């Protein structure tokens, strides 16, 4: 991989959107339908707040150590041995993600599209393709994702229109009449998929403006939440909750229902040919994150020497990891959430606390140096930036903060609507239906708000030069 890597804020947002959406699309809908029934599509709001919390920790760390990724930050804050232990745990988490998603994809292909092809052969060709991205850099994969992700997200949003003749509103009713704890449990399990945001931690160094990084992560999370909610709504409305929780791959069964005229009746092949590259790129990004983490132990970002050994290791461990599809589904849907909640918050909060302590020490030393300098250099700083530029930057900052608050309020409204729905749903079915519509609308508006926030952040400039390490 290249020593210096740069991607823009939009590419980072689409990277995160693809990573989080594809993580849960294959195996999660069945479990969510089994747990929450017709209310399964309200299972994405708690994971969104979890992801935003992780995003806040990432942005805070990146602001303190610009130009460094999470593994370099860990070594810098915790030292050689403690930092190495933290990074090793994070690498194991990334390996779990890589093995889970790679095996899920190849098992899905074996079960549905390529039943006569040995799964080991599919996995071998899969890893050969990933080797190419390991030899290049994140920039190459991000550019490919520029073409792939819009097609993937666009087809997901088009599902309600394509399946309009199979759509049944009655299958979505009655809303908010199930057990509250079932929906809460479904939200907790969904955190396992959103924990894949850890992949983005390996690429913090690619964006040097912290507000752009923050907006990118927020927009990517909003894209994923809305796309997964649409899929769950269409699954329930077309298949019904009882069928969705009995099929292994509800999303595949769903697109098999697509019939356009009397002769285009195998649209599942066409649609998955558009979706497959996004699933592949998810594993490619996880592979690049693993290489980045390994490189941090030897102090380099050029990890091409470890490309082939890591690919063979992932190939062998993926084959040996699960005996059958049942073990894979149980791990993906249940164990992933436990692993994420047991590892990520604790380690990231530890790094955040160390970062705050180091920032206070540096701030104290900086004040002493400023006092000793007797105010010199202030005039030079003023000369570098005119009053007009400062005023323009202040307006941009205010606009950016306004849209950030708007996005937060819309997501908070989604949570509030779910609470109100369970409070009033059993007694007032009409209000429950309106609450469901309002939930979808607020989720869609949060995508729009975070997109505008992303555009506003693009006008901001980094106060720090990129790190050369």
């Amino acid at each position: 991989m290249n020593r210096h890597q740069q991607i823009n804020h939009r590419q980072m947002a689409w990277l995160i959107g693809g990573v989080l959406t594809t993580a849960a699309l294959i195996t999660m809908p069945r479990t969510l339908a089994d747990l929450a029934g017709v209310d399964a599509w309200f299972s994405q709001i708690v994971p969104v707040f979890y992801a935003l919390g992780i995003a806040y920790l990432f942005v805070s760390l990146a602001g303190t150590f610009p130009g460094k990724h999470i593994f370099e930050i860990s070594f810098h804050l915790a030292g050689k041995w403690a930092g190495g232990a933290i990074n090793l745990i994070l690498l194991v988490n990334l390996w779990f993600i890589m093995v889970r998603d790679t095996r899920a994809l190849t098992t899905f292909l074996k079960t549905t599209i390529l039943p006569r092809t040995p799964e080991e052969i599919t996995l071998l060709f899969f890893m050969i393709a990933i080797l190419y991205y390991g030899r290049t850099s994140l920039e190459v994969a991000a550019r490919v994702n520029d073409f792939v992700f819009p097609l993937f997200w666009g087809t997901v949003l088009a599902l309600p229109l394509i399946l309009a003749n199979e759509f049944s509103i009655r299958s979505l009713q009655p809303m908010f009449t199930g057990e509250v704890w079932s929906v809460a449990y479904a939200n907790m399990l969904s955190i396992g998929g959103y924990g894949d945001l850890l992949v983005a931690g390996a690429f913090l160094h690619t964006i040097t403006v912290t507000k752009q990084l923050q907006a990118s992560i927020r927009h990517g999370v909003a894209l994923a939440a809305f796309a997964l909610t649409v899929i769950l709504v269409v699954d329930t409305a077309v298949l019904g909750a009882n069928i969705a929780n009995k099929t292994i791959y509800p999303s595949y069964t769903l697109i098999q229902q697509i019939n356009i005229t009397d002769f285009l009746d195998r649209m599942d092949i066409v649609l998955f040919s558009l979706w497959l590259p996004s699933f592949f790129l998810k594993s490619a990004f996880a592979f690049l994150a693993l290489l980045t983490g390994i490189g941090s132990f030897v102090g380099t970002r050029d990890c091409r020497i470890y490309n082939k050994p890591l690919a063979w290791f992932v190939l062998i461990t993926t084959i040996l990891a699960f005996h059958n599809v049942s073990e894979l589904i149980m791990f993906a849907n249940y164990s992933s959430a436990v692993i994420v909640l047991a590892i990520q918050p604790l380690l990231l909060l530890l790094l955040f606390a160390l970062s705050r302590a180091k920032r206070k020490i540096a701030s104290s030393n900086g004040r002493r140096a400023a006092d000793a300098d007797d105010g010199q250099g202030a005039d030079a700083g003023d000369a570098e930036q005119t009053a007009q530029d400062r005023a323009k930057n202040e307006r941009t900052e205010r606009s950016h903060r306004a849209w950030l608050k708007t996005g937060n309020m819309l997501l908070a409204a989604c949570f509030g609507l779910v609470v109100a729905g369970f409070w009033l749903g059993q007694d007032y079915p009409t209000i429950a239906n309106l609450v469901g519509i309002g939930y979808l609308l607020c989720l869609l508006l949060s995508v729009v708000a975070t997109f505008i926030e992303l555009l506003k952040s693009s006008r901001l400039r980094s106060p720090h030069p990129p790190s050369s390490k």
Side-chain angles (χ1 to χ4, degrees), residues 37-258:
V38 296
D39 296 324
W41 51 291
F42 300 114
S43 62
Q44 302 301 305
I45 188 61
V46 173
V48 165
F49 285 105
Y50 171 81
L52 293 182
I54 297 298
Y56 173 79
L57 297 177
F58 279 162
V59 171
S60 177
L61 293 172
T64 306
F65 302 98
K68 296 182 182 294
H69 52 69
I70 190 66
F71 301 104
E72 292 171 343
I73 293 172
S74 176
F75 274 121
H76 190 86
L77 288 173
K80 178 180 178 181
W81 297 105
I86 292 173
N87 285 342
L88 185 61
I89 295 173
L90 294 178
L91 281 175
V92 171
N93 194 178
L94 286 171
W95 173 72
F96 283 153
I97 293 171
M98 180 75 184
V99 169
R100 180 200 67 198
D101 292 337
T102 304
R103 185 62 180 272
L105 179 57
T106 55
T107 301
F108 167 78
L109 293 174
K110 169 68 176 177
T111 306
T112 58
I113 300 175
L114 302 171
R116 295 186 179 181
T117 304
E119 190 175 349
E120 293 79 7
I121 299 300
T122 305
L123 184 58
L124 176 62
F125 282 105
F126 192 83
M127 294 309 302
I128 290 174
I130 283 182
L131 277 171
Y132 166 76
Y133 289 98
R135 290 182 58 190
T136 55
S137 70
L138 174 66
E139 297 170 6
V140 175
R143 292 192 188 105
V144 175
N145 196 49
D146 283 346
F147 294 97
V148 170
F149 181 75
L151 289 174
F152 172 74
W153 207 73
T155 53
V156 168
L157 296 188
L159 284 178
L161 178 62
I162 298 173
L163 289 164
N165 58 331
E166 305 288 341
F167 211 87
S168 174
I169 298 297
R170 293 182 179 179
S171 298
L172 295 171
Q173 298 172 336
M175 297 181 189
F176 301 108
T177 57
E179 293 289 336
V180 177
W181 296 112
S182 297
V183 177
Y185 190 31
N187 273 272
M188 296 303 293
L189 289 186
S190 295
I191 290 177
Y194 283 77
D196 293 2
L197 188 61
L198 179 63
V199 172
F203 309 131
L204 297 181
H205 60 290
T206 60
I207 297 180
T208 56
V209 183
T210 54
K211 286 186 172 58
Q212 289 183 6
L213 177 64
Q214 181 184 37
S216 299
I217 299 177
R218 287 166 54 83
H219 185 54
V221 170
L223 287 172
F226 185 71
L228 290 171
T229 301
V230 168
I231 290 171
L232 291 169
V233 168
V234 179
D235 273 344
T236 306
V238 174
L239 302 177
N242 291 331
I243 296 177
N245 65 27
K246 290 180 174 62
T247 57
I248 298 178
Y249 303 115
S251 299
Y252 180 70
T253 305
L254 175 71
I255 66 172
Q256 283 183 315
Q257 310 306 311
I258 299 175

Side-chain angles (χ1 to χ4, degrees), residues 313-334:
F313 174 76
V314 172
L315 174 65
I316 298 301
T317 53
T318 301
I319 293 174
L320 299 176
F322 307 101
H323 292 92
N324 50 54
V325 67
S326 297
E327 289 187 2
L328 172 62
I329 291 175
M330 291 295 290
F331 178 81
N333 294 341
Y334 295 95

Side-chain angles (χ1 to χ4, degrees), residues 1 7 14 57 71 86 109 134 138 163 200 203 215 326 342 355 433 439 441 449 458-459 467 469:
M1 293 185 294
I7 61 175
W14 286 4
L57 297 177
F71 301 104
I86 292 173
L109 293 174
L138 174 66
L163 289 164
F203 309 131
S326 297
S355 173
N433 293 338
Y439 174 85
L441 182 60
S458 66
R459 301 176 185 176
S467 172
K469 182 177 178 179

